[in-house]
Amino acid sequence: MAWPDARSTDFVESFGEFLLQEKATDSLALQRSQRAATQSGERFDHVLTKLGLVSEADLCDHLGKFLNIAKIDSSETPLEPLLRDEIPEKFIHANRMLPLSVDGQRLKLAIVDPLDMEPVRALAYSTGYEIELRLLFPAQFEKLWSSLYGERQSGFSFVETDQRAQNASEFDLQRLRDIANEAPVVRRVNQIIVEAIEARASDIHIEPSLEAVHVRHRIDGALRSVQSMPPGLKAAIASRIKIMARLDIAERRLPQDGRIKLAIRGVDIDFRVSTLPTAHGESIVLRILDRSQIALDFDKLGFEQVTTSEFRHVMRNPNGIVLVTGPTGSGKTTTLYTALKELTTPDVKVFTVEDPIEYQLTGVNQVQVQPAIGLDFPNTLRAILRQDPDIIMIGEIRDSETARIAIQSSLTGHLVFSTLHTNSAASSITRLIDMGVENYLIASSVKAVLAQRLVRRLCTFCAIPMDNRTVVRAQFSGEPFATPDDRLSSPSGCSHCNNTGYSGRSTIAELLIMNKRIQRLVCESASDDQLEAAARDSGMTTMYQCGMAKAWRGETTIEEVARVTRMD
């Protein structure tokens, strides 16, 4: 085939049609990106990633199919640099290409940009090799380059930066600022962030100690150690992240909170940044808010069909309060966003009051509270009620005043969604009572409480049958989830799941629906156990039973269910 010109109209139109066929984008987004490419003079494929319409990894897939070039396979990765005497390292890095193997006069070459063939032609001419192409996306190139060439080349720069940062006075702020903006530190921080995103981490933990600066990722709810850096880098790394988050690099005695917004591999990603002074420096946590990884769909989140059907019925109430409860990191906000996404229509006015706003929802008026200027939850809620809302979502009920306003709002014709930090659906009722809300108000306003947890999914590539299945079957005989056709499995570990045996997470939940019997028990100040017993008599499946049903189907493990529900 004749190689396409990346800026030609023919390529823009033909590749655009291909993307539509692959359902990689829609016609409106395609027209927008084509118009932007024409106006800016930039390449169409570059515009797609800059606008966040197609990620760099997906673009690599689509270009490979369009141009009929295979992607690099892990088995093709070289263990050491090839052809060092024939191909300058500067040429390799500048043109983002990697020699993979040589077979006679045939060179297998991985490239990032298949639409710029001049460097490939130059390499073929200078070496005399016949080139066989493979594709890789930028993150893969940087990772391979770092492992093959990068550490050896940049080692001196990092050591030098470490030493100067270590020698810098705690009060020499300009010197620290200069070091934080130098290329080695910038590259190191960018590398930390990109590797976390590639690993599907939800949080990055940067923790200084006497001997090193430790980096850990939270993946599928569990922390994993990733790397250790020299202790002299702690001040430079902290200062760099503070500069990115627009925090005060001079303030090291008090905690600080900030936000960073970056385009990583063509995807806009937000980061919540928290710094905390410790004995050996500032501990930093970056919460990764990647909209592209969030599926606002009850089925994809792992909810059982029965629970989803009942919850959707509750969501259709014209008024009342619906609570979602669970510990931090159990997916409560994602569940509420999913509900709001389904409920948001042109004839409904929806408000949220959050701290902070995690994801922006189309058609929803979202308000960020700012306690420093008096814009707290109660004041914001009072203002929202004057905006004629139909549905209100309160990020969290934290105090009695917010609870009372939420209850009153639900009683005056509004549908209110909110979250609480409690261990079960039944305990949410007593939590509201402890906050000072009258029993009769709770009984008349609360429509349902959804309690949830996240369990890790077994990796589908390496899960193995459980050894003691017969014993387990006998132990749980008679339970509603213990069906004869079990698929009880255990984690094993492979390259697809980083040898953890788990990949991704699924929701387990229990839905307590307020009926007349439970209303009467609430008014009588019944205990959590009494409320839960009444809910189970009315057909509620507990979180434990929901989790065990998933384990029985081979989606997770019994140990994982016991871990998140704290039941033996």
Side-chain angles (χ1 to χ4, degrees), residues 192-193 202-208 214 216-218 223 237-238 241 245 247 256-260 271-278 282-288:
I192 290 170
I193 290 172
S202 60
D203 301 86
I204 306 170
H205 293 245
I206 301 172
E207 303 160 324
H214 304 284
R216 297 196 288 173
H217 294 165
R218 188 175 293 280
L223 278 172
I237 293 288
I241 292 173
L247 300 177
Q256 294 188 68
D257 295 309
R259 294 182 79 93
I260 301 172
F271 300 83
R272 285 214 314 261
V273 181
S274 170
T275 71
L276 180 70
T278 68
E282 289 180 286
S283 171
I284 301 173
V285 175
L286 288 84
R287 166 65 60 88
I288 301 172

Side-chain angles (χ1 to χ4, degrees), residues 34-281:
Q34 289 174 334
R35 188 165 55 248
T38 303
Q39 293 172 350
S40 66
E42 285 196 74
R43 280 174 37 177
F44 173 55
D45 55 318
H46 291 172
V47 170
L48 286 169
T49 57
K50 284 187 177 180
L51 292 178
L53 300 175
V54 180
S55 71
E56 288 184 344
D58 290 340
L59 181 65
C60 177
D61 288 340
H62 298 310
L63 277 174
K65 290 180 184 177
F66 183 72
L67 300 172
N68 197 27
I69 303 176
K71 287 177 61 181
I72 187 174
D73 187 83
S74 58
S75 62
E76 297 175 310
T77 304
L79 299 177
E80 59 183 26
L82 300 178
L83 305 175
R84 275 181 140 156
D85 296 333
E86 299 179 54
I87 309 174
E89 290 180 11
K90 285 185 178 179
F91 179 84
I92 291 173
H93 188 263
N95 293 291
R96 296 194 296 178
M97 55 173 59
L98 285 172
L100 300 178
S101 62
V102 178
D103 184 7
Q105 286 300 304
R106 192 175 188 83
L107 169 64
K108 190 179 290 184
L109 183 73
I111 59 172
V112 169
D113 189 354
L115 296 173
D116 181 10
M117 294 302 291
E118 282 304 314
V120 177
R121 294 190 189 103
L123 184 64
Y125 178 79
S126 64
T127 62
Y129 286 115
E130 181 184 346
I131 306 293
E132 180 183 345
L133 293 178
R134 291 290 184 271
L135 269 189
L136 76 171
F137 56 91
Q140 288 175 305
F141 171 79
E142 288 169 13
K143 197 168 187 178
L144 288 173
W145 167 263
S146 178
S147 64
L148 293 171
Y149 303 94
E151 291 301 324
R152 184 182 61 78
Q153 280 199 340
S154 61
F156 175 76
S157 299
F158 278 125
V159 171
E160 184 185 19
T161 301
D162 291 348
Q163 191 61 47
R164 289 190 295 116
Q166 200 163 24
N167 293 338
S169 163
E170 288 289 308
F171 303 100
D172 192 353
L173 299 177
Q174 187 55 49
R175 191 174 179 188
L176 264 181
R177 194 186 303 272
D178 292 341
I179 293 171
N181 286 318
E182 288 180 355
V185 175
V186 171
R187 279 201 304 269
R188 179 65 68 97
V189 171
N190 289 347
Q191 182 186 19
I192 290 170
I193 290 172
V194 170
E195 286 180 354
I197 291 166
E198 288 173 357
R200 299 182 301 102
S202 60
D203 301 86
I204 306 170
H205 293 245
I206 301 172
E207 303 160 324
S209 67
L210 191 60
E211 301 83 12
V213 180
H214 304 284
V215 179
R216 297 196 288 173
H217 294 165
R218 188 175 293 280
I219 302 173
D220 296 334
L223 278 172
R224 301 179 194 171
S225 294
V226 178
Q227 62 173 299
S228 294
M229 299 179 289
L233 263 180
K234 62 186 177 186
I237 293 288
S239 298
R240 177 62 192 162
I241 292 173
K242 283 183 176 181
I243 288 170
M244 295 171 72
R246 303 188 182 208
L247 300 177
D248 183 1
I249 68 169
E251 181 55 76
R252 301 181 182 182
R253 302 164 301 169
L254 297 172
Q256 294 188 68
D257 295 309
R259 294 182 79 93
I260 301 172
K261 185 170 185 176
L262 297 173
I264 307 289
R265 311 300 177 211
V267 178
D268 284 335
I269 298 176
D270 291 324
F271 300 83
R272 285 214 314 261
V273 181
S274 170
T275 71
L276 180 70
T278 68
H280 299 293

Side-chain angles (χ1 to χ4, degrees), residues 400 403-405 407-408 411 429 431-446 519 522-525:
S400 58
R404 287 181 178 279
I405 297 173
I407 295 288
Q408 292 297 335
L411 292 171
I429 304 298
R431 175 83 174 111
L432 289 174
I433 294 172
D434 291 341
M435 283 184 174
V437 181
E438 289 81 357
N439 299 47
Y440 70 92
L441 289 178
I442 297 171
S444 57
S445 62
V446 174
Q519 284 178 327
V522 170
C523 291
E524 294 171 355
S525 298

Side-chain angles (χ1 to χ4, degrees), residues 300-321:
K300 291 180 180 177
L301 291 175
F303 282 92
E304 299 291 319
Q305 288 188 356
V306 174
T307 304
T308 301
S309 176
E310 292 176 344
F311 191 60
R312 282 192 172 121
H313 181 73
V314 171
M315 284 163 44
R316 302 298 172 184
N317 275 295
N319 52 56
I321 184 165

